[in-house]
Amino acid sequence: KTPSGVAAARGTFYAVAVEDGKGFVQVKEGKVAVTPANKAGEEANPGTVSKLTGKLTMIPEGGGAEQELKIGDSVSVGSTLKTGPDSTAIIRLSKDSAINMVENTETIIEVVEESDTTPKVHLDLKSGTMSALIKPVAKGKMDFRIKTPSGVAAARGTFYSVAVEDGRGYVNVKDGEVKVIPLDEIDADPDQADPAGGAN
């Protein structure tokens, strides 16, 4: 990040300089996307679509007409979100968490509770793949869980992805730790999925 904007690497070798309050980028190899500072500084409100490429739809809790969403639109707890082919969507769920849904992904937003001490986000991933991003400030106190047909992935870190393929759940941890709890343990004791304790 510079005073002029953000340089996001798409290649392997580039340089960034700041002179007289302005940012300059030199690309030696690959590509770099530069986002102007006024756009980079914008942060979506909790419960809204932050970025969108292609198609994102929402079915309200209890059914009803499927609505096509655009950037800035609100998403509601209990609703089902779906991305279309060749589509990606970033949804800011709470002030400290967001999800990145890739194409042909379907998830239900089960719980979103803001709190300074015990914030909570629970999702039910029906199909496809999505990444979870949790701000480091919420690490250790955020109860962020993604349910799949195989079990529940409870975050202990800041960046992980979950996929559902052929009725099975898969977890890829990029940063931090994720506890995976089999569904039968959740059914027996719902508090078992506490991301602060238990085995990894």
Side-chain angles (χ1 to χ4, degrees):
K1 182 179 179 181
T2 75
S4 302
V6 176
R10 293 181 179 176
T12 56
F13 190 9
Y14 73 111
V16 179
V18 174
E19 294 176 11
D20 298 324
K22 292 186 178 181
F24 300 87
V25 179
Q26 180 183 21
V27 183
K28 293 254 190 180
E29 182 181 344
K31 295 180 180 179
V32 170
V34 178
T35 305
N38 58 349
K39 185 175 179 183
E42 294 174 359
E43 190 172 58
N45 292 323
T48 60
V49 180
S50 175
K51 292 185 180 179
L52 176 61
T53 301
K55 186 176 182 181
L56 173 67
T57 59
M58 178 177 73
I59 301 173
E61 184 177 17
E66 191 170 6
Q67 309 165 23
E68 187 164 348
L69 301 177
K70 60 184 184 301
I71 293 174
D73 283 349
S74 296
V75 297
S76 56
V77 174
S79 64
T80 300
L81 301 178
K82 295 180 180 180
T83 51
D86 299 318
S87 301
T88 61
I90 297 178
I91 296 99
R92 189 164 180 233
L93 296 172
S94 68
K95 65 184 180 72
D96 293 323
S97 68
I99 54 171
N100 184 4
M101 300 172 64
V102 303
E103 64 177 352
N104 300 320
T105 295
E106 177 180 347
T107 191
I108 299 172
I109 303 174
E110 293 189 327
V111 177
V112 177
E113 295 178 5
E114 294 278 20
S115 168
D116 291 335
T117 55
T118 55
K120 184 184 295 186
V121 174
H122 293 183
L123 306 163
D124 186 353
L125 181 61
K126 297 299 186 183
S127 62
T129 303
M130 66 183 179
S131 301
L133 177 61
I134 303 165
K135 289 184 178 180
V137 69
K139 188 175 180 179
K141 62 181 181 179
M142 170 74 76
D143 178 6
F144 195 105
R145 308 178 193 181
I146 300 177
K147 181 181 178 182
T148 74
S150 302
V152 174
R156 291 177 171 180
T158 55
F159 189 16
Y160 70 110
S161 63
V162 179
V164 173
E165 296 177 11
D166 300 323
R168 292 187 177 184
Y170 300 87
V171 179
N172 180 27
V173 182
K174 296 238 178 185
D175 183 21
E177 297 178 351
V178 171
K179 177 182 178 182
V180 178
I181 307 103
L183 280 183
D184 55 355
E185 290 184 21
I186 299 296
D187 293 338
D189 182 1
D191 294 329
Q192 187 83 13
D194 179 4
N200 293 333

mmCIF file of all heavy atoms in Angstrom, residues 44-78:
data_model
loop_
_atom_site.group_PDB
_atom_site.id
_atom_site.type_symbol
_atom_site.label_atom_id
_atom_site.label_comp_id
_atom_site.label_asym_id
_atom_site.label_seq_id
_atom_site.Cartn_x
_atom_site.Cartn_y
_atom_site.Cartn_z
ATOM 1 N N ALA A 44 -16.493 -2.382 2.757
ATOM 2 C CA ALA A 44 -17.920 -2.682 2.720
ATOM 3 C C ALA A 44 -18.488 -2.789 4.124
ATOM 4 O O ALA A 44 -17.807 -3.187 5.068
ATOM 5 C CB ALA A 44 -18.152 -3.998 1.975
ATOM 6 N N ASN A 45 -19.734 -2.424 4.270
ATOM 7 C CA ASN A 45 -20.415 -2.575 5.549
ATOM 8 C C ASN A 45 -20.634 -4.045 5.849
ATOM 9 O O ASN A 45 -20.777 -4.864 4.936
ATOM 10 C CB ASN A 45 -21.764 -1.852 5.509
ATOM 11 C CG ASN A 45 -21.607 -0.352 5.420
ATOM 12 O OD1 ASN A 45 -20.704 0.213 6.024
ATOM 13 N ND2 ASN A 45 -22.484 0.282 4.670
ATOM 14 N N PRO A 46 -20.663 -4.431 7.138
ATOM 15 C CA PRO A 46 -20.955 -5.822 7.485
ATOM 16 C C PRO A 46 -22.291 -6.262 6.895
ATOM 17 O O PRO A 46 -23.258 -5.496 6.859
ATOM 18 C CB PRO A 46 -21.008 -5.790 9.016
ATOM 19 C CG PRO A 46 -20.153 -4.627 9.402
ATOM 20 C CD PRO A 46 -20.368 -3.607 8.316
ATOM 21 N N GLY A 47 -22.310 -7.504 6.415
ATOM 22 C CA GLY A 47 -23.538 -8.054 5.848
ATOM 23 C C GLY A 47 -23.823 -7.585 4.442
ATOM 24 O O GLY A 47 -24.979 -7.579 4.016
ATOM 25 N N THR A 48 -22.765 -7.213 3.691
ATOM 26 C CA THR A 48 -22.965 -6.739 2.328
ATOM 27 C C THR A 48 -22.000 -7.404 1.352
ATOM 28 O O THR A 48 -20.966 -7.944 1.749
ATOM 29 C CB THR A 48 -22.782 -5.209 2.221
ATOM 30 O OG1 THR A 48 -21.457 -4.867 2.638
ATOM 31 C CG2 THR A 48 -23.797 -4.470 3.074
ATOM 32 N N VAL A 49 -22.343 -7.317 0.069
ATOM 33 C CA VAL A 49 -21.481 -7.819 -0.998
ATOM 34 C C VAL A 49 -20.378 -6.793 -1.226
ATOM 35 O O VAL A 49 -20.654 -5.639 -1.541
ATOM 36 C CB VAL A 49 -22.281 -8.053 -2.293
ATOM 37 C CG1 VAL A 49 -21.364 -8.576 -3.398
ATOM 38 C CG2 VAL A 49 -23.434 -9.019 -2.048
ATOM 39 N N SER A 50 -19.132 -7.218 -1.059
ATOM 40 C CA SER A 50 -17.991 -6.315 -1.169
ATOM 41 C C SER A 50 -17.435 -6.274 -2.589
ATOM 42 O O SER A 50 -17.130 -5.209 -3.121
ATOM 43 C CB SER A 50 -16.904 -6.753 -0.192
ATOM 44 O OG SER A 50 -15.755 -5.984 -0.340
ATOM 45 N N LYS A 51 -17.284 -7.447 -3.198
ATOM 46 C CA LYS A 51 -16.778 -7.539 -4.578
ATOM 47 C C LYS A 51 -17.567 -8.619 -5.302
ATOM 48 O O LYS A 51 -17.990 -9.606 -4.692
ATOM 49 C CB LYS A 51 -15.288 -7.871 -4.604
ATOM 50 C CG LYS A 51 -14.401 -6.762 -4.073
ATOM 51 C CD LYS A 51 -12.934 -7.093 -4.240
ATOM 52 C CE LYS A 51 -12.049 -5.977 -3.709
ATOM 53 N NZ LYS A 51 -10.618 -6.282 -3.839
ATOM 54 N N LEU A 52 -17.733 -8.445 -6.603
ATOM 55 C CA LEU A 52 -18.525 -9.410 -7.366
ATOM 56 C C LEU A 52 -18.098 -9.415 -8.825
ATOM 57 O O LEU A 52 -17.970 -8.367 -9.449
ATOM 58 C CB LEU A 52 -20.017 -9.060 -7.265
ATOM 59 C CG LEU A 52 -20.997 -9.911 -8.076
ATOM 60 C CD1 LEU A 52 -20.938 -11.367 -7.639
ATOM 61 C CD2 LEU A 52 -22.411 -9.362 -7.934
ATOM 62 N N THR A 53 -17.870 -10.621 -9.318
ATOM 63 C CA THR A 53 -17.646 -10.835 -10.746
ATOM 64 C C THR A 53 -18.626 -11.913 -11.182
ATOM 65 O O THR A 53 -18.654 -13.001 -10.607
ATOM 66 C CB THR A 53 -16.208 -11.310 -11.020
ATOM 67 O OG1 THR A 53 -15.291 -10.334 -10.523
ATOM 68 C CG2 THR A 53 -15.969 -11.503 -12.501
ATOM 69 N N GLY A 54 -19.443 -11.611 -12.189
ATOM 70 C CA GLY A 54 -20.429 -12.594 -12.647
ATOM 71 C C GLY A 54 -21.738 -12.469 -11.885
ATOM 72 O O GLY A 54 -22.221 -11.371 -11.628
ATOM 73 N N LYS A 55 -22.276 -13.619 -11.453
ATOM 74 C CA LYS A 55 -23.625 -13.648 -10.883
ATOM 75 C C LYS A 55 -23.633 -14.209 -9.462
ATOM 76 O O LYS A 55 -23.041 -15.243 -9.178
ATOM 77 C CB LYS A 55 -24.532 -14.495 -11.773
ATOM 78 C CG LYS A 55 -26.000 -14.497 -11.361
ATOM 79 C CD LYS A 55 -26.838 -15.279 -12.359
ATOM 80 C CE LYS A 55 -28.315 -15.249 -11.992
ATOM 81 N NZ LYS A 55 -29.143 -16.020 -12.944
ATOM 82 N N LEU A 56 -24.334 -13.493 -8.569
ATOM 83 C CA LEU A 56 -24.560 -13.930 -7.196
ATOM 84 C C LEU A 56 -26.046 -13.755 -6.894
ATOM 85 O O LEU A 56 -26.595 -12.676 -7.117
ATOM 86 C CB LEU A 56 -23.724 -13.103 -6.214
ATOM 87 C CG LEU A 56 -23.988 -13.347 -4.718
ATOM 88 C CD1 LEU A 56 -23.551 -14.747 -4.314
ATOM 89 C CD2 LEU A 56 -23.283 -12.284 -3.869
ATOM 90 N N THR A 57 -26.679 -14.824 -6.402
ATOM 91 C CA THR A 57 -28.102 -14.739 -6.070
ATOM 92 C C THR A 57 -28.321 -15.101 -4.614
ATOM 93 O O THR A 57 -27.493 -15.774 -3.982
ATOM 94 C CB THR A 57 -28.951 -15.669 -6.951
ATOM 95 O OG1 THR A 57 -28.498 -17.023 -6.777
ATOM 96 C CG2 THR A 57 -28.848 -15.284 -8.416
ATOM 97 N N MET A 58 -29.456 -14.644 -4.068
ATOM 98 C CA MET A 58 -29.817 -14.918 -2.678
ATOM 99 C C MET A 58 -31.268 -15.377 -2.617
ATOM 100 O O MET A 58 -32.146 -14.760 -3.224
ATOM 101 C CB MET A 58 -29.636 -13.664 -1.816
ATOM 102 C CG MET A 58 -30.051 -13.851 -0.348
ATOM 103 S SD MET A 58 -29.749 -12.367 0.668
ATOM 104 C CE MET A 58 -31.047 -11.282 0.082
ATOM 105 N N ILE A 59 -31.500 -16.471 -1.877
ATOM 106 C CA ILE A 59 -32.844 -16.931 -1.576
ATOM 107 C C ILE A 59 -33.089 -16.650 -0.098
ATOM 108 O O ILE A 59 -32.359 -17.152 0.756
ATOM 109 C CB ILE A 59 -33.011 -18.436 -1.859
ATOM 110 C CG1 ILE A 59 -32.707 -18.731 -3.323
ATOM 111 C CG2 ILE A 59 -34.415 -18.902 -1.493
ATOM 112 C CD1 ILE A 59 -32.679 -20.215 -3.655
ATOM 113 N N PRO A 60 -34.082 -15.820 0.246
ATOM 114 C CA PRO A 60 -34.324 -15.477 1.648
ATOM 115 C C PRO A 60 -34.689 -16.705 2.482
ATOM 116 O O PRO A 60 -35.126 -17.737 1.944
ATOM 117 C CB PRO A 60 -35.506 -14.500 1.577
ATOM 118 C CG PRO A 60 -35.538 -14.021 0.170
ATOM 119 C CD PRO A 60 -35.007 -15.146 -0.662
ATOM 120 N N GLU A 61 -34.497 -16.585 3.802
ATOM 121 C CA GLU A 61 -34.862 -17.666 4.716
ATOM 122 C C GLU A 61 -36.344 -17.992 4.558
ATOM 123 O O GLU A 61 -37.180 -17.092 4.467
ATOM 124 C CB GLU A 61 -34.581 -17.254 6.158
ATOM 125 C CG GLU A 61 -34.844 -18.342 7.178
ATOM 126 C CD GLU A 61 -34.483 -17.923 8.581
ATOM 127 O OE1 GLU A 61 -34.344 -16.715 8.818
ATOM 128 O OE2 GLU A 61 -34.339 -18.804 9.450
ATOM 129 N N GLY A 62 -36.655 -19.259 4.495
ATOM 130 C CA GLY A 62 -38.038 -19.696 4.337
ATOM 131 C C GLY A 62 -38.501 -19.759 2.893
ATOM 132 O O GLY A 62 -39.671 -20.010 2.612
ATOM 133 N N GLY A 63 -37.574 -19.508 1.962
ATOM 134 C CA GLY A 63 -37.941 -19.566 0.547
ATOM 135 C C GLY A 63 -38.270 -18.189 0.007
ATOM 136 O O GLY A 63 -37.908 -17.173 0.569
ATOM 137 N N GLY A 64 -38.984 -18.180 -1.094
ATOM 138 C CA GLY A 64 -39.287 -16.905 -1.740
ATOM 139 C C GLY A 64 -38.524 -16.778 -3.032
ATOM 140 O O GLY A 64 -37.777 -17.675 -3.440
ATOM 141 N N ALA A 65 -38.704 -15.638 -3.669
ATOM 142 C CA ALA A 65 -38.095 -15.411 -4.973
ATOM 143 C C ALA A 65 -36.578 -15.252 -4.854
ATOM 144 O O ALA A 65 -36.079 -14.605 -3.934
ATOM 145 C CB ALA A 65 -38.702 -14.175 -5.619
ATOM 146 N N GLU A 66 -35.858 -15.849 -5.776
ATOM 147 C CA GLU A 66 -34.409 -15.721 -5.835
ATOM 148 C C GLU A 66 -34.058 -14.317 -6.336
ATOM 149 O O GLU A 66 -34.574 -13.867 -7.358
ATOM 150 C CB GLU A 66 -33.836 -16.794 -6.764
ATOM 151 C CG GLU A 66 -32.341 -16.927 -6.712
ATOM 152 C CD GLU A 66 -31.839 -18.147 -7.469
ATOM 153 O OE1 GLU A 66 -32.650 -18.823 -8.131
ATOM 154 O OE2 GLU A 66 -30.637 -18.427 -7.409
ATOM 155 N N GLN A 67 -33.180 -13.623 -5.606
ATOM 156 C CA GLN A 67 -32.818 -12.254 -5.954
ATOM 157 C C GLN A 67 -31.379 -12.212 -6.443
ATOM 158 O O GLN A 67 -30.494 -12.814 -5.837
ATOM 159 C CB GLN A 67 -32.934 -11.339 -4.728
ATOM 160 C CG GLN A 67 -34.247 -11.427 -3.982
ATOM 161 C CD GLN A 67 -34.156 -10.795 -2.592
ATOM 162 O OE1 GLN A 67 -33.308 -9.958 -2.330
ATOM 163 N NE2 GLN A 67 -35.036 -11.214 -1.697
ATOM 164 N N GLU A 68 -31.144 -11.488 -7.537
ATOM 165 C CA GLU A 68 -29.775 -11.297 -8.002
ATOM 166 C C GLU A 68 -29.175 -10.110 -7.273
ATOM 167 O O GLU A 68 -29.802 -9.048 -7.168
ATOM 168 C CB GLU A 68 -29.732 -11.082 -9.517
ATOM 169 C CG GLU A 68 -28.308 -11.058 -10.049
ATOM 170 C CD GLU A 68 -28.221 -11.229 -11.554
ATOM 171 O OE1 GLU A 68 -29.225 -11.599 -12.185
ATOM 172 O OE2 GLU A 68 -27.122 -10.967 -12.093
ATOM 173 N N LEU A 69 -27.960 -10.286 -6.735
ATOM 174 C CA LEU A 69 -27.314 -9.257 -5.927
ATOM 175 C C LEU A 69 -26.238 -8.526 -6.714
ATOM 176 O O LEU A 69 -25.682 -9.065 -7.675
ATOM 177 C CB LEU A 69 -26.695 -9.884 -4.674
ATOM 178 C CG LEU A 69 -27.641 -10.634 -3.733
ATOM 179 C CD1 LEU A 69 -26.854 -11.244 -2.580
ATOM 180 C CD2 LEU A 69 -28.743 -9.726 -3.211
ATOM 181 N N LYS A 70 -25.944 -7.307 -6.266
ATOM 182 C CA LYS A 70 -24.845 -6.534 -6.827
ATOM 183 C C LYS A 70 -23.998 -5.994 -5.677
ATOM 184 O O LYS A 70 -24.369 -6.129 -4.508
ATOM 185 C CB LYS A 70 -25.368 -5.410 -7.719
ATOM 186 C CG LYS A 70 -26.268 -4.405 -7.024
ATOM 187 C CD LYS A 70 -26.806 -3.398 -8.018
ATOM 188 C CE LYS A 70 -27.624 -2.316 -7.354
ATOM 189 N NZ LYS A 70 -28.782 -2.798 -6.611
ATOM 190 N N ILE A 71 -22.880 -5.376 -6.000
ATOM 191 C CA ILE A 71 -21.985 -4.833 -4.975
ATOM 192 C C ILE A 71 -22.733 -3.816 -4.122
ATOM 193 O O ILE A 71 -23.441 -2.954 -4.640
ATOM 194 C CB ILE A 71 -20.747 -4.186 -5.624
ATOM 195 C CG1 ILE A 71 -19.881 -5.258 -6.295
ATOM 196 C CG2 ILE A 71 -19.913 -3.439 -4.582
ATOM 197 C CD1 ILE A 71 -18.718 -4.714 -7.084
ATOM 198 N N GLY A 72 -22.592 -3.960 -2.806
ATOM 199 C CA GLY A 72 -23.256 -3.066 -1.868
ATOM 200 C C GLY A 72 -24.573 -3.580 -1.342
ATOM 201 O O GLY A 72 -25.092 -3.061 -0.349
ATOM 202 N N ASP A 73 -25.139 -4.618 -1.989
ATOM 203 C CA ASP A 73 -26.408 -5.179 -1.521
ATOM 204 C C ASP A 73 -26.222 -5.928 -0.209
ATOM 205 O O ASP A 73 -25.161 -6.501 0.063
ATOM 206 C CB ASP A 73 -27.004 -6.130 -2.562
ATOM 207 C CG ASP A 73 -27.652 -5.371 -3.718
ATOM 208 O OD1 ASP A 73 -27.812 -4.145 -3.614
ATOM 209 O OD2 ASP A 73 -27.989 -6.027 -4.728
ATOM 210 N N SER A 74 -27.278 -5.944 0.595
ATOM 211 C CA SER A 74 -27.244 -6.636 1.883
ATOM 212 C C SER A 74 -27.575 -8.108 1.726
ATOM 213 O O SER A 74 -28.377 -8.490 0.863
ATOM 214 C CB SER A 74 -28.243 -5.998 2.846
ATOM 215 O OG SER A 74 -27.877 -4.668 3.127
ATOM 216 N N VAL A 75 -26.951 -8.920 2.578
ATOM 217 C CA VAL A 75 -27.293 -10.343 2.670
ATOM 218 C C VAL A 75 -27.871 -10.578 4.061
ATOM 219 O O VAL A 75 -27.449 -9.943 5.026
ATOM 220 C CB VAL A 75 -26.068 -11.252 2.414
ATOM 221 C CG1 VAL A 75 -25.540 -11.064 1.006
ATOM 222 C CG2 VAL A 75 -24.965 -10.981 3.419
ATOM 223 N N SER A 76 -28.840 -11.466 4.159
ATOM 224 C CA SER A 76 -29.531 -11.659 5.434
ATOM 225 C C SER A 76 -29.204 -13.007 6.054
ATOM 226 O O SER A 76 -28.946 -13.994 5.345
ATOM 227 C CB SER A 76 -31.044 -11.541 5.230
ATOM 228 O OG SER A 76 -31.489 -12.447 4.250
ATOM 229 N N VAL A 77 -29.225 -13.036 7.386
ATOM 230 C CA VAL A 77 -29.025 -14.282 8.113
ATOM 231 C C VAL A 77 -30.181 -15.225 7.784
ATOM 232 O O VAL A 77 -31.338 -14.814 7.737
ATOM 233 C CB VAL A 77 -28.952 -14.022 9.624
ATOM 234 C CG1 VAL A 77 -28.891 -15.335 10.395
ATOM 235 C CG2 VAL A 77 -27.750 -13.149 9.956
ATOM 236 N N GLY A 78 -29.847 -16.488 7.529
ATOM 237 C CA GLY A 78 -30.850 -17.482 7.154
ATOM 238 C C GLY A 78 -30.994 -17.646 5.658
ATOM 239 O O GLY A 78 -31.619 -18.602 5.194
#
